[in-house]
C-alpha cells in the first residue's frame, strides 16, 4: 500500500511536469490515458451485453493524440492534414466491417459499433484538445503554454472541491438524484463560485509573469462556463456507470477508481477551454 500511496502522490507533479515539457511526452500521456479510458468505457458497455470492437477502439483512442500533434508540428504537418480524414473514414469502415463479420443481428451490432466510435471520440479525441491549448502558440518546455493548460485544470479541481464541501455544509435539493444522488444544487453553485476565485489569481499573478495576455473578464467568463461544463461531464460519466451498475469505472487506481473517474469532468472541460481560448484570442 505504501508503494501505491507514493505513486499516487507522485502522479500529479509528474503530470504537471509532462504538461510543461509538452511535445512527445504529453502525446504519450494522452495516448495512454486514451487507451485506458476507452478500455474502461468498452468494459462498462460489456456489462450491459454490448461488446464493442475492443482492439479497434483502444488502438484508435491511443492514436488520436499522436495524429493531432503530427498535424500541428513538424515537416509532416501538411501531409497529415491531408490524409487524416481518409484515415478516419477507413477506420470507421473497419469498425462497420467488424460488426458485420463478428456480430449477428441478435448481438446488437449497431450498439457495438456505436460504443466503439464513442470510446474513441470521448476518450481519445476530447482530451487531445489539450495539445491545441499547449502547442497552438508555444513550443516544448514553455511555462506560458503549460499555464494555459493548468488554468482549466485548476478551475476544475477547485470547483470539485468547493462543490463537495459546499454540498455537505449547505445540503438542500439534489442536483441529479437519478444519476448522482450525492450531488446537490447548493454544492453545484458553490463549485462554480470556487472556480470563479481562480480567475483573479491567474489574471493578476500567473499569466502576466509568463507573458500570457488574457483579461480578467475573459477568465471570469471561462471559469463560470468551465465550472458548469465540468459538472455536466461528471454527471455524464456517472450516467454510464449508473447504467452499468458500478461505482467506479475500474479499479486501476485503488481508492480512486479508473481513468474515466479521474478525467470525467476534464473530458468536457479541456475542449471547452480550447474553444474559449480561441474565442478570446488567447490561442
Amino acid at each position: 500500500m505504501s508503494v501505491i500511496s507514493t505513486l499516487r502522490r507522485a502522479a500529479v507533479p509528474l503530470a504537471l511536469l509532462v504538461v510543461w515539457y509538452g511535445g512527445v511526452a504529453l502525446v504519450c500521456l494522452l495516448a495512454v490515458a486514451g487507451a485506458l479510458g476507452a478500455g474502461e468505457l468498452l468494459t462498462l458497455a460489456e456489462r450491459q451485453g454490448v461488446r464493442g470492437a475492443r482492439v479497434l477502439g483502444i488502438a484508435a483512442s491511443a492514436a488520436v493524440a499522436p495524429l493531432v500533434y503530427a498535424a500541428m508540428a513538424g515537416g509532416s504537418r501538411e501531409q497529415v492534414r491531408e490524409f487524416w480524414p481518409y484515415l478516419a473514414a477507413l477506420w470507421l469502415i473497419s469498425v462497420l466491417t467488424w460488426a458485420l463479420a463478428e456480430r449477428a443481428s441478435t448481438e446488437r451490432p449497431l450498439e457495438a459499433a456505436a460504443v466503439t466510435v464513442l470510446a474513441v471520440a470521448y476518450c481519445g479525441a476530447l482530451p487531445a484538445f489539450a495539445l491545441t491549448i499547449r502547442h497552438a502558440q508555444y513550443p516544448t518546455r514553455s511555462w506560458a503554454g503549460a499555464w494555459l493548460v493548468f488554468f482549466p485544470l485548476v478551475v476544475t479541481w477547485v470547483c470539485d472541491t468547493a462543490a463537495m464541501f459546499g454540498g455537505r455544509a449547505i445540503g438542500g435539493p439534489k442536483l441529479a438524484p437519478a444519476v448522482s444522488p450525492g450531488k446537490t444544487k447548493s454544492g453545484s453553485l458553490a463549485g462554480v463560485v470556487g472556480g470563479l476565485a481562480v480567475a483573479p489569481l491567474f489574471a493578476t499573478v500567473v499569466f502576466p509573469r509568463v507573458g500570457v495576455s488574457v483579461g480578467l473578464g475573459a477568465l471570469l467568463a471561462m471559469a463560470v462556463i468551465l465550472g458548469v461544463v465540468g459538472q455536466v461531464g461528471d454527471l455524464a460519466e456517472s450516467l454510464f456507470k449508473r447504467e452499468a451498475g458500478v461505482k467506479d469505472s475500474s479499479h486501476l487506481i485503488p481508492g480512486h477508481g479508473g481513468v474515466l473517474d479521474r478525467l470525467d469532468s476534464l473530458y468536457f472541460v479541456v475542449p471547452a477551454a480550447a474553444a474559449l481560448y480561441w474565442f478570446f484570442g488567447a490561442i
Side-chain angles (χ1 to χ4, degrees), residues 19 26 30 68 72 124-136 145 148-149 152-153 266 270-271 274 283:
V19 172
L26 181 56
L30 291 170
V68 169
M72 294 178 64
L126 293 184
F129 277 91
L131 290 168
T132 302
I133 298 173
R134 176 63 183 81
H135 287 297
L148 281 173
V149 178
L153 300 186
L266 296 178
V270 169
I283 61 173

Side-chain angles (χ1 to χ4, degrees), residues 28 132 136 173 219 222:
C28 291
T132 302
L219 292 180
M222 286 186 65

Side-chain angles (χ1 to χ4, degrees), residues 69-95:
Y69 187 63
M72 294 178 64
S76 61
R77 180 186 311 174
E78 295 302 323
Q79 291 87 341
V80 174
R81 289 180 178 178
E82 287 181 4
F83 79 69
W84 81 258
Y86 303 100
L87 185 63
L90 289 174
W91 177 81
L92 182 56
I93 290 172
S94 298
V95 172

Side-chain angles (χ1 to χ4, degrees), residues 213-232:
S213 179
V214 187
L216 176 59
L219 292 180
L220 287 171
M222 286 186 65
V224 171
I225 295 171
L226 297 179
V228 173
V229 167
Q231 294 185 58
V232 175

Side-chain angles (χ1 to χ4, degrees), residues 46-185:
E46 288 169 3
R47 294 179 65 91
Q48 300 301 300
V50 179
R51 295 181 294 121
R54 180 168 286 272
V55 173
L56 285 171
I58 292 175
S61 293
V64 171
L67 283 173
V68 169
Y69 187 63
M72 294 178 64
S76 61
R77 180 186 311 174
E78 295 302 323
Q79 291 87 341
V80 174
R81 289 180 178 178
E82 287 181 4
F83 79 69
W84 81 258
Y86 303 100
L87 185 63
L90 289 174
W91 177 81
L92 182 56
I93 290 172
S94 298
V95 172
L96 297 176
T97 303
W98 165 88
L100 176 65
E102 298 294 331
R103 296 290 178 263
S105 59
T106 57
E107 295 180 298
R108 304 163 74 176
L110 176 59
E111 293 172 73
V115 77
T116 304
V117 175
L118 176 64
V120 177
Y122 181 55
C123 304
L126 293 184
F129 277 91
L131 290 168
T132 302
I133 298 173
R134 176 63 183 81
H135 287 297
Q137 294 184 359
Y138 300 102
T140 57
R141 291 174 286 182
S142 165
W143 280 114
W147 281 111
L148 281 173
V149 178
F150 293 161
F151 174 71
L153 300 186
V154 174
V155 168
T156 302
W157 294 333
V158 172
C159 181
D160 288 347
T161 303
M164 180 180 65
F165 285 107
R168 290 177 180 176
I170 302 172
K174 301 297 183 181
L175 179 63
V179 177
S180 186
K183 291 182 172 59
T184 62
K185 293 180 180 179

